[in-house]
Amino acid sequence: MTDKTPGKSHRPAPVLTHPDDVPLLTALTALADPVRIQLVRTLAEHPDWSLSCSNFDVPVGRAAKSHHFSVLRAAGLVEQRDDGPKRLNRLRREEFDARFPGLLDLTLRDDEVS
């Protein structure tokens, strides 16, 4: 029987990976994609749980965006929770920094030359 409780989502809760369980290569691979870097940078600029997946302006479709969030979750970078029909996001900065000191700071640094 399906749970019809108000505020509950019809989809399964996202699987979360703690950064302590993430190999370095997984973290580096997650941060090697420009779309994922853009997602992480956008999250870093906003308070926890303030952005749903639809709030991100990236040059990919919904399915690809979902895949990118899945990669970020598997790397321990992003935590997601459902709030009705919305999936809210949080950058797991403190936990990720404890596992990979300085890596997120390098990712968030805007040192690209125009």
Side-chain angles (χ1 to χ4, degrees), residues 35-98:
V35 171
R36 290 193 288 269
I37 289 175
Q38 188 176 349
L39 294 172
V40 168
R41 286 179 175 172
T42 300
L43 278 171
E45 295 170 354
H46 292 84
D48 290 351
W49 311 117
S50 65
L51 296 176
S52 69
C53 294
S54 63
N55 293 130
F56 293 85
D57 184 26
V58 289
V60 297
R62 286 180 65 191
K65 191 187 307 184
S66 178
H67 168 73
H68 286 299
F69 273 112
S70 177
V71 171
L72 292 172
R73 280 194 322 267
L77 279 155
V78 171
E79 183 177 2
Q80 294 180 310
R81 70 176 183 205
D82 290 334
D83 183 22
K86 295 180 180 180
R87 182 157 281 180
L88 301 177
N89 300 277
R90 174 181 88 87
L91 182 61
R92 299 179 78 177
R93 184 166 192 148
E94 184 176 314
E95 302 101 307
F96 194 81
D97 282 344

Side-chain angles (χ1 to χ4, degrees), residues 15-31 70-79 92 95-101 103:
V15 176
L16 303 176
T17 304
H18 194 279
D20 287 346
D21 300 325
V22 175
L24 177 60
L25 186 57
T26 301
L28 292 173
T29 300
L31 293 169
S70 177
V71 171
L72 292 172
R73 280 194 322 267
L77 279 155
V78 171
E79 183 177 2
R92 299 179 78 177
E95 302 101 307
F96 194 81
D97 282 344
R99 172 75 169 122
F100 303 108
L103 183 56

